[in-house]
Structures are given as C-alpha cells and as structure tokens.
Amino acid sequence: MIMTEKIPAIVLGGTGYVAGELLRLIAAHPGVELKGILSDSQPGEPLGKWFPHLAPVYPNLKFSDLETISRLAASLPAAAILSAAPHGVAAGLIDQLLCAAEAGGTNPRVIDISADYRYASAQAYEAVYPHAHGAPHRVAQFTCALPEHLETVNTPHVAHPGCFSTAVLLPSVPLLKLGLIEPRLFVTGVTGSTGSGRTPTAGTHHPQRHSDFYAYNPLAHRHAPEIAAIAQTASGVAAEFSFVPHSGPFARGIHVTVQAVARRSLKTPELLDALREFYRGKPFVRVSGAMPHVKDVTSSNYAVIGGAANGGTVVLTCVEDNLTKGAAGGAIQWLNRLFGIEETAGLTAPAPGWT
C-alpha cells in the first residue's frame, strides 16, 4: 500500500524507556508522524534532555502537558494514540483523551502497552492488580492479542500483551492450538533490566544486577494470569502456566523456556515443522533449528523460536527484545494493522548484533 498522508501519532508515557523506544521507531516509520508526547512532570522540557540518542531526529520537540495533548486528540481527525503510561494510570488517561476526542468529533485509535486493558473485564483486572480499574466502561472497546495470533480486530482499540507475555505466548499458543501438548506448561523467563523501567531499584541498579542472576516472584508473577487468559483466547484451550521469572545481567532482551508433556510421541523435526507452518507468512517470527540467542534479536522487532522433543517431552525457547517486540515494536505492528498499512512498515531493521 502506498501511503499518501502520514498517520498523526500521539505518545503517552513521558520519559520512560518504552516511550523512548516508540519515538525511535516512529522516527524511522515512513507512514507515521509524531505530533506530541505527553509528560505531566516535564512539560516544556526538550525531549533530547531525557533521550539524548533521539536529539538528532527530534531537535525541537518538547514534552507537552495533558491539556495540550487533549487538544491534539480533539483536533486530529484520524490519529494513533500510543500509550506507554504506567499500569493503573493508563486507563484513566486514555479515557480522558478519548472523551476529548469524542467531544471534538475525532476518532483516534489507541494502542495501549500497559496492563490496564489486557483483561476481558475490570473484575479480572482487579483480581490481579490491587486497585480499581481506571475506566471499566472502556474495557469492551479493546482487544488484547499478539498480531500473529489474530487476523481481524473488531474493536476500535487494542491492548498489546506484555514483554514476558509475548515471549511466552509465541511458543505456547501453537502447542496448545495444535493439540501437541498437555495443557500444563512450565515456563522460565529471563529479562533484561530495562523491563523494570527507568527508575533505579535494588533489582535494576547496575552494581546490584551486574554479573548476577536470580529468580523473583516464582509462581506468583502478575503476568501469569494474563498469559493464561490470552493463551486461552488465542488457542481455545484453558491451560495452566507455572511461571518463574528471572533477572538477567543485561539491559535488553528476554529469553523464555517453555516445557510441556507431549500428547503423543513427538520428535524435534515434526515439532519444528509444525511451528514453521503455524507461523508461515508471519514476518516477525522465525523458527530455528538451533537454540536462539538474545543478541540475535536485541533492538529489533523479530522473535526467534527454537525447540526440541524426545517423544514425551517438548521444550521450546523464544527470544525477543522486551522494549521492541515485547512493547513498542508490537504496538507499531498493531498501529500498522489498525490503519490498514503494511504490517512490517517501519519495523524491518535487523538486530544490530554484538550489542
């Protein structure tokens, strides 16, 4: 498709890592034009102060306050709102902008990267998060899925699954949908420090995390029920996920291992062939005969799946970049889909390697 007019985009999320990644991807997108970025804490500050690596492509851009962004939402006839606002904040913020747009007669489409619209009901969300949902009347306006697992969207807005969820769902959904495994999956995942956000904590501060490796929230991580719910919608199978996340001594990337019991005798070649067929025509997912490395995908929108089967046991590994495929890149993929342009637009740059 030849794009004659660029899609105006508004980014929510201020100075966070995912917002910065959205800005980086938009700068290289042939069909999207950034119109504003919200930061209530830094209005009027130059973007380059917080994202020096983006200063060459946004030399004059400054953060805007909510009033300015609301006016933009009400004035742009067909805009994309990309929300990297925090969980618990995003829902109410998005609702406020959609109300402004409705009053102004515009119809933006929202892609939310937070957890606020990933669940099918406010009650399901509140069972995981210890606060009331910020806009329960909007929940039905959102669909949550990976682009690879949903051909059509029947809602005006989309919620992108989280970074861990993406890395778990990509290998798990085919296994469940094709009936290759028993519906109980054991998952270990290792994430880089950027997954914890920009504000330093004991778990992300470099002297603490460097050269270290440890598990956290075993069998109690907040993404586990999200993974199970999205996997059931995508595969039609109710499955149990026993999830143990780990902190890795690197900044970007996720490595996930999924292990399950095969429903029939299964060997590695048949397993990999089934996955390749499942993801045929899906440009950002590659099935490899070798075990994938995080460096193969860091800073790209690609995910790689490797696997093995010995008759009774199936093991799949998946690598992705948590900020790109697991967040901002997946959101841009959805933007492309929602606005009817080539799904790969602005996303085909390969991983740089040797990072």
Side-chain angles (χ1 to χ4, degrees), residues 114-313:
S114 84
D116 286 5
Y117 289 106
R118 290 176 189 161
Y119 288 91
S121 69
Q123 291 75 20
Y125 172 87
E126 291 164 2
V128 177
Y129 290 87
H131 52 256
H133 193 279
H137 58 287
R138 296 282 184 191
V139 171
Q141 298 175 11
F142 283 79
T143 294
C144 182
L146 292 178
E148 288 79 8
H149 295 161
L150 188 65
E151 292 301 322
T152 59
V153 180
N154 297 318
T155 57
H157 314 300
V158 166
H160 185 60
C163 51
F164 260 137
S165 300
T166 298
V168 176
L169 291 165
L170 284 173
S172 299
V173 166
L175 294 177
L176 293 167
K177 193 167 187 175
L178 296 173
L180 298 177
I181 61 168
E182 297 296 334
R184 188 179 185 193
L185 299 89
F186 298 88
V187 181
T188 58
V190 185
T191 184
S193 57
T194 53
S196 298
R198 187 161 195 157
T199 303
T201 66
T204 59
H205 189 47
H206 183 72
Q208 178 74 21
R209 192 155 179 162
H210 175 66
S211 299
D212 202 2
F213 186 88
Y214 53 91
Y216 64 98
N217 294 338
L219 307 181
H221 194 276
R222 61 183 172 84
H223 283 321
E226 171 192 319
I227 291 167
I230 300 171
Q232 182 172 359
T233 299
S235 68
V237 178
E240 178 184 350
F241 288 81
S242 297
F243 178 45
V244 182
H246 296 72
S247 291
F250 48 89
R252 297 180 68 140
I254 284 181
H255 184 292
V256 156
T257 302
V258 177
Q259 187 169 349
V261 174
R263 279 192 160 171
R264 57 178 176 79
S265 182
L266 193 65
K267 296 296 185 180
T268 299
E270 183 184 357
L271 171 68
L272 296 181
D273 284 347
L275 288 169
R276 290 189 181 104
E277 182 60 30
F278 189 91
Y279 284 115
R280 184 184 300 276
K282 307 300 182 184
F284 294 114
V285 180
R286 182 167 62 89
V287 178
S288 173
M291 293 296 106
H293 291 226
V294 171
K295 284 189 177 182
D296 296 342
V297 297
T298 299
S299 300
S300 80
N301 197 55
Y302 296 95
V304 183
I305 300 171
N310 65 359
T313 301

Side-chain angles (χ1 to χ4, degrees), residues 79-104:
I81 297 177
L82 297 150
S83 175
H87 314 321
V89 174
L93 185 59
I94 289 167
D95 178 50
Q96 188 167 341
L97 294 180
L98 288 176
C99 286
E102 289 161 2

Side-chain angles (χ1 to χ4, degrees), residues 9-29:
I10 296 169
V11 172
L12 315 179
T15 60
Y17 288 145
V18 174
E21 188 72 354
L22 283 169
L23 296 174
R24 183 180 73 88
L25 295 173
I26 290 170
H29 197 296

